[in-house]
Amino acid sequence: MDLQALLDDLAMESAPCAAQGKVADYIPALAAVDPARFGLALATMDGQLVGSGDWRTPFSIQSVSKAFSLALVLARDGEALWRRVGREPSGNPFNSLVQLEYEKGIPRNPFINAGALVLIDRLLTLTGDSLGTLRDFLRAESGNPAVDVDPEVAASEASHGHRNAALAHFMASCGNLENPVDRVLDHYFRQCSLSMSCADLARAGLFLANHGLRADGSRLLSRSESKRINSIMLTCGTYDAAGDFAYRVGLPGKSGVGGGILAVLPERGVLCVWSPALDPHGNSIAGVEALDRFTTRTGWSVF
Amino acid sequence: MDLQALLDDLAMESAPCAAQGKVADYIPALAAVDPARFGLALATMDGQLVGSGDWRTPFSIQSVSKAFSLALVLARDGEALWRRVGREPSGNPFNSLVQLEYEKGIPRNPFINAGALVLIDRLLTLTGDSLGTLRDFLRAESGNPAVDVDPEVAASEASHGHRNAALAHFMASCGNLENPVDRVLDHYFRQCSLSMSCADLARAGLFLANHGLRADGSRLLSRSESKRINSIMLTCGTYDAAGDFAYRVGLPGKSGVGGGILAVLPERGVLCVWSPALDPHGNSIAGVEALDRFTTRTGWSVF
Amino acid sequence: MDLQALLDDLAMESAPCAAQGKVADYIPALAAVDPARFGLALATMDGQLVGSGDWRTPFSIQSVSKAFSLALVLARDGEALWRRVGREPSGNPFNSLVQLEYEKGIPRNPFINAGALVLIDRLLTLTGDSLGTLRDFLRAESGNPAVDVDPEVAASEASHGHRNAALAHFMASCGNLENPVDRVLDHYFRQCSLSMSCADLARAGLFLANHGLRADGSRLLSRSESKRINSIMLTCGTYDAAGDFAYRVGLPGKSGVGGGILAVLPERGVLCVWSPALDPHGNSIAGVEALDRFTTRTGWSVF
Amino acid sequence: MDLQALLDDLAMESAPCAAQGKVADYIPALAAVDPARFGLALATMDGQLVGSGDWRTPFSIQSVSKAFSLALVLARDGEALWRRVGREPSGNPFNSLVQLEYEKGIPRNPFINAGALVLIDRLLTLTGDSLGTLRDFLRAESGNPAVDVDPEVAASEASHGHRNAALAHFMASCGNLENPVDRVLDHYFRQCSLSMSCADLARAGLFLANHGLRADGSRLLSRSESKRINSIMLTCGTYDAAGDFAYRVGLPGKSGVGGGILAVLPERGVLCVWSPALDPHGNSIAGVEALDRFTTRTGWSVF
C-alpha cells in the first residue's frame, strides 16, 4: 500500500469538510487558529513516518493529552486507579456536573474533564510534578525535545477555567482530590496547552499500538494494560460521540478541542489528524471524516 | 391569650422531639452545640416580646440570614433581581448542582445556596460590603448592637466550603457573578456565621409582618414587596421540605442548619424557634414541631 | 366594596392579556375554543355570587378537578394518603417522568398528573366509581345538576393519552396502583373532561374557604384538613410556576389547561377565572393577571 | 490451539464465580433456573463447533435477541434507522425513562429496552411479523428448526411488563412508534422469551464474524454494516457496564438477563456463554469471567 498517496488522498477529500464545523471559541487563543489548517500523520510499528498537509505544524493538543496521562498513572497505580475514577461512557456532555454529583464525586471515566483532573491529582501525588512528568514523556516518545506548553494558551485557559474549578472543588468536597485545588488546576491548564504536531503525536502514541513498549524498547505498560487503554479510548475517547466514532471509524481514538485526534491501529501504528473546525460534540469534523475514510479504504478497523 | 403560658407549653411539649434529630456535623463548630438547647420567642406588632427556654442565647443563624439578604437586595434592585435568580421551589436538596447546570447558572430561588451567593454578589456590587450592610441592618432592627459574626464558625465554614466554591465557580462560568468568586465566598461564609438569639431574630424580622416598615418606622419594602418575600419563604424557605412545612405549619418560614427557624405571622408578629437537632431535610425537628403546635393552637396559619 | 364593579374592572383590564398566550392544542377539542372568552366569578361565604364576562359558560375544567379529588380522598383516607403521594412542589414540568423514576413511583404531589392518577386509583378502591363520586359531589356543591363530562373532550383525551398511560404503567411497575391501568386512565380522562362554568366552580369550592363545611352544612373535612389542602394548592397548584403564582397572587389556586383557575380566599370565598389562552407553564395568562390585580386591589392575599 | 481443552479449562475455572451473582428474579420463570448451569460454545468461521458444560441446553436468550433484531432492521432500512434510535452508550440503567424523556422519545441506542422496542416496531412495519421473521432467521442460521418461544416465559414477561409498557407509551406519545403499543409489546415479550442453546446462538451469530455473510453464503449485511453492528455491541451491548466489558474482555458482546452472552471474534468466530447468575449490572457474572479469561489466554481481543 502506498501510504503517502493514501494520506494525500484522504487530506484532499476530507479537508473541505471543515467548512461545516466551527473552531473552538471559548478562549481567544484557540479561536484565532485558521480553520483551513489540515494535517495527517501515520507512524508505523516498523518505523515509518508519513504525513500530509500541515503535519509538522504544532497545535494545542488539549484533551488528546488525557490518553497519555492515563497511561502514566495506570503504569504506576495499576488497577487501584479505578477506585477514584470509573471507566464507563458518560452519555452526557463532557463537562457535565450532573453525573459527577449523582456518582458522589467519582468521575465516570478518565477522559471527561473531572476524570482528567483526578489523573493529574494522582500524578502530582506520585511524581510531585504532573506536567513535568508528562512533558518529559512526550518529548522522549516523540523524539522532539521542543515539545512544550504554549504559555499564551495556558494563561487563556486559566482565565476561563471557572467550570473546571467547579468540578475540582466539587470533587474536593467529596474527598476525591489529594492535592490543593489550585495546584491541580494549574497543572491541568498547562497540560491542555501543550503544543505538538501530528508527527509528534503519532510517534508519541506508538506504545499504545505496540503492546505498551516505549520507543526505547522499555516497557511502560503490560500487554494487557495497553489493550485496556485502547478499549477506554474506543468507548470514551470522543466526548459524547464515542458510539458514533466507534460506528464510523472503528478505532480507539482520543480527540481534543484544538482539533486533533489520535487514533490507534493495534499492532500497526498510530494515526494523528488535525483540523481545527469542530462538530457539535467537540470533535474535529474533517478529522473524523479522514479517519472514517481511512478505515473504509484500508479495512483496518478493529472490528 | 396568655402568650407566655402558650410559649412555655409549646417549649415543654416540643423540646423532647429533638431526640429524634441530629445536630449538623459538617463543621466542628456546629457539631459541638448541645442538642438539648431549646428557645422560642415571639415579637408582636404591638411591641411585646415574649420568650421561653434559651430564647436569649445566641446561636449560628446560618441560612436564616438569607431572608434578610433577600429583603436588602429586593429593596434596592426591585424586580430586576429576578433576572439573576428564580423564585420557584427547587424540588431538590439544597446544595444541588444539577438544577443549576440544567438552568444555565440561574439558581432556582434565593434560598438555595447558589441563590444566596447571587444575593451576596449583588449586595456587594450595590453597597461594597455585603456582610457589613446586613450586620448593620440586623443590629438596628434587633436593637442589639452586639450582633456579630462568630469567627470560629466562619473559619470552619471557609475550610469546609468546597461545595459552595463549586457552585460559585459554576455560576461565574455562566456569567452570573459580578464579583470575584473568593470575595463572594468570604462574605457568604461570614454571613452564615452571624450569631443571634431567638429574641434578636424575632425582632429583626418584624418588618416582614409589618408590611415592610422598619423598627424606626421608615420603609424598607413596599407593602407588596413585603408580602412577596413572605410568599417566597412559604414556598422555598425550608429546603426540600417546603411543601411539608406549608402543610403542617402554614406560615412563611426560613430555617437554618444551626437549628433556627424564623416564621412570619402577617400583621401579627414574628416567631423564632431554636433547637439544634435537625430532621433529614435540614430543618430543626423540635422547631417545626413547636410551630406546628403553635398554629394548631392559635389558628394563626395563613390558610 | 362594590364587588360587581371590581370584577367588571378586572375583566376589562385583564382579558386583553390573552393575546400573549396560546390555547392548549394537544387535543382538537380544546384547540377549538375561542381564546377571547373570559369569565370571572366570586362566591362569598355569606352567599353572594357575582360574575363578569362569560362566567356562566361551561368550559373544560381539566386539572382544576384535582383539587376536588384531593379533598374527597383526604376526607376518606386522612394522613394515610401520604404514603402513596408526596406533597412537595415538583420543580419540573407537570408531566415529567424523571422525578417519578427517581422517587420510585411515588408522585411528588397530588396535582402533577401522576399524583392525580394515584388519587383516582384510590377513590376507585374506596368508592368503586371515582368519576361518579366526584361528579355527584360537584353537582351537589355547585347546585347545578347538569354538571357532566363532555364526551367529545373525553374521547379526545383518551386518544392522546399515551403520556398518561406511560405514567400509570410506570407506577404500576412500582406497585403504586391498586386498580387496572386501563380503568384508572378511563376515569382520569373523563374527570379532566368535566364541563363547568366559573359560577359552578366558585360555588363548588366554597368548602375550602369555609373550613371544610359543605354547602348543606355537613362537614367534609376537618378545619385542619381544609387548611392543608389550601397549602398544597399554594405550593403545588399551578404546575411549574407555583412560586411565581404565590409571589404575584398570594392565594391558594388550582389551574387547568382548559384555562380555568380556582383561587381560595380563606374565610371569605372562592374566585374562579376562565380565559383559554395559556402561558408557557400551562396557566391561563389573563386568569393569573386578573387574580394578581384582584389581590393587589383588595389586599386579600394570604400574606 | 486445542479449543476443546481451552473451553473445558475456562468452564472449570469460571463456573464457580456464579456463586457471587444472583439469578434474575423479576419473573418466576427466570427465577426458577438452576444457578449452577454453565455452558460455553465456540463456532468458528471454518465450520468447527466446540462446547463445554451445558452448551446444548436451551435457555431464555432475552436481550441477546436484540443483536439479531438490529441486524435484520439494518439490513432492510440501512442508515435511515438512525433517525429513530441513537447509537451512543446510555450511561444509565437499562430501563431508564429519564434519558428517553430528555431525548424526546429517541432511545439512546438499539440495545436499551426502548431501542429494542423501536427495532421491533420497525420490523413489524417492514415484514408484518417481527417475531416470525426473527425466529425464521435464527432457525436458519443455527441450523436448529426447533428454536422457538418458551410460552411460559412469554406469559410471565407480559404479566410483568408495566415498565416496558411505560416506555412504549412514552415513545408513542413522542410519535416514535408506527404500530399499536400492544402489538409491539406482544412481539417484544415473545422475542425475549426465545429459547436457544449456546451452540444455537454461536452458530446463529457467525454472520457478524463473517462480514455479513449468512450460513448459506448469501449476504445479509455489507462488510461495513457488519462491522458497525460489532461496534455497537462493544459500546452498548452489556447494559451500563459496556466500558468495563470492553476493558476486561475487549470483544463486541451482547448479554441477556437469562445469563447468556454472545461475543464476536471478528474473522474468527462467535463465542457464546451461559450462566444464569448475574452481576448488579445484569450481566452473567461467570460468563464475563469466562470471556475475560478467553481473551487473556488467546490474545484475541480486538485491541
Side-chain angles (χ1 to χ4, degrees):
Chain A
M1 195 180 305
D2 180 343
L3 291 174
Q4 182 65 56
L6 174 62
L7 298 198
D8 290 343
D9 279 6
L10 296 178
M12 202 177 56
E13 295 161 9
S14 310
C17 293
Q20 297 150 45
K22 202 161 153 298
V23 171
D25 56 5
Y26 72 100
I27 55 171
L30 289 181
V33 175
D34 174 4
R37 308 304 294 267
F38 184 96
L40 183 58
L42 174 66
T44 64
M45 300 268 294
D46 55 9
Q48 291 184 70
L49 179 67
V50 198
S52 187
D54 302 311
W55 66 299
R56 292 203 178 276
T57 309
F59 59 89
S60 189
I61 70 169
Q62 296 289 327
S63 297
V64 179
S65 66
K66 296 170 184 172
F68 298 99
S69 298
L70 174 57
L72 294 175
V73 177
L74 194 63
R76 284 161 174 83
D77 262 0
E79 298 290 308
L81 166 63
W82 307 117
R83 286 198 292 267
R84 292 192 48 206
V85 61
R87 55 196 187 220
E88 291 301 326
S90 70
N92 272 310
F94 61 102
N95 46 14
S96 174
L97 284 159
V98 173
Q99 203 132 29
L100 194 59
E101 183 168 30
Y102 187 73
E103 305 190 293
K104 300 182 188 348
I106 305 295
R108 209 154 163 86
N109 67 60
F111 292 156
I112 55 173
N113 287 12
L117 288 164
V118 166
L119 293 176
I120 286 169
D121 177 57
R122 191 67 194 131
L123 204 53
L124 268 172
T125 300
L126 291 165
T127 69
D129 181 2
S130 172
L131 188 268
T133 304
L134 175 63
R135 185 174 43 194
D136 289 350
F137 178 78
L138 292 172
R139 286 175 177 172
E141 297 307 297
S142 68
N144 178 0
V147 165
D148 214 337
V149 170
D150 178 327
E152 188 199 349
V153 175
S156 205
E157 293 284 353
S159 68
H160 290 77
H162 281 302
R163 205 170 278 247
N164 287 307
L167 294 169
H169 277 291
F170 185 77
M171 290 192 292
S173 80
C174 299
N176 199 19
L177 278 194
E178 297 167 347
N179 295 281
V181 164
D182 285 350
R183 185 146 188 257
V184 174
L185 288 172
D186 170 53
H187 282 252
Y188 179 79
F189 294 136
R190 286 192 289 147
Q191 168 170 330
C192 288
S193 307
L194 284 162
S195 226
M196 296 174 75
S197 68
C198 290
D200 295 336
L201 278 170
R203 270 190 301 219
L206 270 178
F207 70 97
L208 290 170
N210 196 16
H211 301 308
L213 293 181
R214 295 182 57 167
D216 63 5
S218 69
R219 179 164 294 285
L220 176 69
L221 301 166
S222 73
R223 195 179 183 92
S224 168
E225 285 165 344
S226 169
K227 287 187 178 198
R228 287 172 171 189
I229 290 181
N230 288 342
S231 84
I232 297 174
M233 290 174 72
L234 190 90
T235 52
C236 314
T238 41
Y239 307 122
D240 193 29
D244 189 65
F245 188 84
Y247 185 86
R248 289 181 59 192
V249 176
L251 291 176
K254 183 74 206 81
S255 60
V257 292
I261 309 176
L262 181 151
V264 178
L265 307 161
E267 300 182 4
R268 297 189 199 263
V270 171
L271 196 57
C272 182
V273 61
W274 171 50
S275 164
L278 309 178
D279 65 26
H281 295 288
N283 298 309
S284 168
I285 198 162
V288 175
E289 178 69 19
L291 295 171
D292 182 352
R293 287 174 179 270
F294 178 88
T295 51
T296 302
R297 288 265 205 113
T298 60
W300 292 353
S301 95
V302 301
F303 298 112
Chain B
M1 194 181 307
D2 181 343
L3 292 173
Q4 183 65 56
L6 174 62
L7 297 198
D8 289 343
D9 279 6
L10 296 178
M12 201 177 57
E13 294 161 9
S14 309
C17 294
Q20 297 149 47
K22 204 162 152 297
V23 171
D25 57 3
Y26 71 101
I27 56 170
L30 289 181
V33 176
D34 175 4
R37 307 304 294 266
F38 184 95
L40 183 59
L42 174 66
T44 64
M45 299 268 294
D46 57 8
Q48 292 184 69
L49 179 67
V50 198
S52 186
D54 302 312
W55 66 298
R56 291 204 178 276
T57 308
F59 60 89
S60 190
I61 69 169
Q62 295 289 329
S63 297
V64 180
S65 66
K66 296 170 184 172
F68 298 100
S69 298
L70 174 57
L72 293 175
V73 177
L74 194 62
R76 284 161 174 82
D77 261 1
E79 298 290 308
L81 166 63
W82 308 118
R83 286 198 290 267
R84 293 192 47 204
V85 60
R87 53 195 187 220
E88 292 301 326
S90 70
N92 272 311
F94 60 102
N95 47 12
S96 173
L97 283 160
V98 173
Q99 202 133 31
L100 194 59
E101 183 169 29
Y102 187 71
E103 306 190 292
K104 300 182 185 356
I106 304 295
R108 208 154 162 83
N109 66 60
F111 293 156
I112 55 174
N113 287 12
L117 289 164
V118 166
L119 293 177
I120 285 168
D121 177 57
R122 191 65 195 133
L123 204 52
L124 268 171
T125 301
L126 291 166
T127 69
D129 181 2
S130 171
L131 187 270
T133 303
L134 175 63
R135 185 173 44 194
D136 290 348
F137 178 78
L138 292 171
R139 286 175 178 171
E141 298 306 299
S142 68
N144 178 0
V147 165
D148 214 338
V149 170
D150 179 327
E152 189 199 347
V153 175
S156 206
E157 294 284 353
S159 68
H160 291 76
H162 280 303
R163 205 170 276 248
N164 287 307
L167 293 170
H169 277 292
F170 185 76
M171 290 191 291
S173 81
C174 299
N176 199 18
L177 279 194
E178 296 166 347
N179 296 279
V181 164
D182 286 350
R183 185 144 190 258
V184 174
L185 288 171
D186 170 52
H187 282 253
Y188 179 78
F189 294 137
R190 287 193 287 146
Q191 168 172 328
C192 288
S193 308
L194 284 163
S195 225
M196 295 174 75
S197 68
C198 290
D200 294 336
L201 277 170
R203 269 191 301 219
L206 271 179
F207 70 97
L208 289 170
N210 197 15
H211 301 308
L213 293 182
R214 296 181 58 167
D216 63 5
S218 68
R219 181 164 293 286
L220 176 68
L221 301 167
S222 73
R223 194 179 183 94
S224 167
E225 285 166 343
S226 169
K227 288 188 176 195
R228 288 171 171 190
I229 290 181
N230 289 341
S231 83
I232 296 174
M233 291 174 71
L234 190 91
T235 52
C236 314
T238 42
Y239 306 124
D240 194 27
D244 189 64
F245 187 84
Y247 185 86
R248 288 181 60 191
V249 176
L251 292 176
K254 184 71 207 82
S255 60
V257 293
I261 309 177
L262 181 150
V264 179
L265 307 161
E267 299 183 4
R268 297 186 199 266
V270 170
L271 196 57
C272 182
V273 60
W274 172 50
S275 164
L278 307 178
D279 65 26
H281 295 287
N283 298 310
S284 169
I285 197 163
V288 175
E289 178 69 19
L291 295 173
D292 183 352
R293 286 174 181 270
F294 178 87
T295 51
T296 302
R297 287 266 206 114
T298 60
W300 292 353
S301 94
V302 300
F303 298 112
Chain C
M1 196 180 304
D2 180 344
L3 292 174
Q4 183 64 55
L6 174 62
L7 297 199
D8 288 342
D9 278 5
L10 296 178
M12 202 176 56
E13 294 161 9
S14 310
C17 293
Q20 297 150 45
K22 203 161 153 297
V23 171
D25 57 4
Y26 71 99
I27 55 170
L30 289 181
V33 175
D34 175 3
R37 308 304 295 265
F38 184 96
L40 184 58
L42 173 66
T44 64
M45 299 269 292
D46 56 10
Q48 291 184 70
L49 180 65
V50 197
S52 187
D54 302 312
W55 66 298
R56 293 206 178 275
T57 308
F59 60 89
S60 190
I61 70 169
Q62 296 288 329
S63 297
V64 180
S65 66
K66 295 169 185 174
F68 298 99
S69 298
L70 173 57
L72 294 175
V73 176
L74 193 63
R76 284 161 173 83
D77 261 1
E79 298 291 308
L81 166 62
W82 307 118
R83 287 199 291 268
R84 294 192 46 207
V85 62
R87 54 195 186 218
E88 293 300 326
S90 70
N92 273 310
F94 61 102
N95 46 14
S96 173
L97 283 159
V98 174
Q99 202 133 29
L100 195 59
E101 184 169 30
Y102 186 74
E103 306 190 290
K104 299 184 186 353
I106 305 295
R108 208 154 161 84
N109 67 60
F111 292 156
I112 54 173
N113 287 12
L117 288 163
V118 166
L119 293 177
I120 286 168
D121 177 56
R122 192 65 195 133
L123 204 52
L124 268 171
T125 301
L126 291 165
T127 69
D129 181 2
S130 172
L131 187 270
T133 304
L134 175 63
R135 185 173 45 195
D136 290 349
F137 177 78
L138 292 172
R139 286 175 178 172
E141 297 307 298
S142 68
N144 179 1
V147 166
D148 214 338
V149 170
D150 178 327
E152 189 200 347
V153 175
S156 206
E157 294 284 352
S159 69
H160 291 77
H162 281 302
R163 205 171 278 247
N164 287 308
L167 294 169
H169 277 291
F170 185 76
M171 290 191 292
S173 80
C174 299
N176 199 19
L177 278 195
E178 297 167 346
N179 295 279
V181 164
D182 286 349
R183 188 148 185 254
V184 174
L185 288 171
D186 171 52
H187 282 253
Y188 178 78
F189 294 136
R190 286 193 288 147
Q191 168 171 329
C192 289
S193 308
L194 283 162
S195 225
M196 295 174 75
S197 68
C198 290
D200 294 336
L201 277 170
R203 269 191 300 217
L206 270 178
F207 70 97
L208 289 170
N210 197 15
H211 302 307
L213 292 182
R214 296 183 55 168
D216 64 5
S218 68
R219 180 164 294 285
L220 176 68
L221 302 166
S222 72
R223 195 178 182 91
S224 168
E225 285 165 344
S226 169
K227 288 188 177 197
R228 287 171 171 190
I229 291 182
N230 289 341
S231 84
I232 297 174
M233 290 173 70
L234 190 90
T235 52
C236 314
T238 41
Y239 306 122
D240 193 28
D244 189 64
F245 188 83
Y247 185 85
R248 288 181 58 191
V249 176
L251 292 176
K254 183 72 207 81
S255 60
V257 293
I261 309 177
L262 181 151
V264 179
L265 308 160
E267 299 183 4
R268 297 186 199 266
V270 171
L271 195 58
C272 182
V273 60
W274 171 50
S275 164
L278 309 177
D279 65 26
H281 295 288
N283 298 309
S284 169
I285 197 162
V288 175
E289 177 70 20
L291 295 172
D292 183 352
R293 288 173 179 270
F294 178 88
T295 51
T296 302
R297 288 267 206 111
T298 60
W300 292 353
S301 95
V302 300
F303 298 113
Chain D
M1 194 180 306
D2 181 342
L3 291 174
Q4 183 65 56
L6 174 63
L7 297 198
D8 288 343
D9 279 6
L10 296 178
M12 201 177 56
E13 295 161 9
S14 310
C17 292
Q20 298 150 45
K22 202 161 154 296
V23 171
D25 57 3
Y26 71 100
I27 56 170
L30 289 181
V33 175
D34 175 4
R37 308 303 294 268
F38 183 96
L40 183 58
L42 174 66
T44 64
M45 298 270 293
D46 57 8
Q48 292 184 71
L49 179 67
V50 198
S52 186
D54 302 311
W55 67 298
R56 293 204 178 277
T57 308
F59 59 89
S60 190
I61 69 168
Q62 297 288 329
S63 297
V64 179
S65 66
K66 296 170 185 173
F68 298 99
S69 297
L70 174 58
L72 294 175
V73 177
L74 193 62
R76 285 162 173 83
D77 262 359
E79 298 290 309
L81 167 61
W82 307 117
R83 287 198 291 265
R84 292 193 47 203
V85 60
R87 54 197 187 218
E88 292 300 326
S90 70
N92 272 310
F94 60 101
N95 46 14
S96 174
L97 282 159
V98 174
Q99 203 133 31
L100 194 58
E101 184 170 29
Y102 186 72
E103 305 191 293
K104 300 184 185 353
I106 304 295
R108 207 153 163 85
N109 67 61
F111 292 156
I112 55 174
N113 288 12
L117 288 164
V118 166
L119 293 177
I120 286 168
D121 177 58
R122 191 66 195 132
L123 204 52
L124 268 171
T125 301
L126 291 165
T127 68
D129 180 2
S130 170
L131 187 269
T133 303
L134 175 63
R135 184 173 46 196
D136 290 350
F137 177 79
L138 293 171
R139 286 175 177 170
E141 297 306 298
S142 68
N144 178 359
V147 165
D148 213 338
V149 170
D150 178 327
E152 189 199 346
V153 175
S156 206
E157 293 284 353
S159 68
H160 290 76
H162 281 301
R163 205 171 278 247
N164 288 307
L167 294 169
H169 277 291
F170 185 77
M171 290 192 292
S173 80
C174 299
N176 199 19
L177 279 195
E178 296 166 347
N179 296 279
V181 164
D182 286 352
R183 187 145 188 258
V184 174
L185 288 171
D186 170 53
H187 282 253
Y188 179 79
F189 295 136
R190 288 192 288 146
Q191 168 171 328
C192 288
S193 307
L194 284 162
S195 225
M196 296 173 74
S197 69
C198 291
D200 293 337
L201 276 170
R203 270 191 300 218
L206 270 179
F207 70 98
L208 289 170
N210 197 15
H211 301 307
L213 292 182
R214 295 182 58 167
D216 64 4
S218 68
R219 179 164 295 284
L220 177 67
L221 301 166
S222 72
R223 196 180 182 91
S224 166
E225 285 166 343
S226 170
K227 289 187 175 196
R228 288 172 170 190
I229 290 181
N230 288 342
S231 84
I232 297 175
M233 291 174 71
L234 190 91
T235 52
C236 314
T238 42
Y239 306 123
D240 193 28
D244 189 65
F245 187 84
Y247 185 86
R248 289 181 58 191
V249 176
L251 292 176
K254 183 72 206 82
S255 60
V257 293
I261 310 177
L262 181 151
V264 179
L265 308 161
E267 298 182 4
R268 298 185 198 266
V270 171
L271 196 58
C272 183
V273 60
W274 171 51
S275 165
L278 308 179
D279 65 25
H281 295 288
N283 298 309
S284 170
I285 197 162
V288 175
E289 178 70 19
L291 295 173
D292 182 354
R293 287 173 180 272
F294 178 86
T295 51
T296 303
R297 288 266 206 113
T298 60
W300 292 352
S301 95
V302 300
F303 298 112

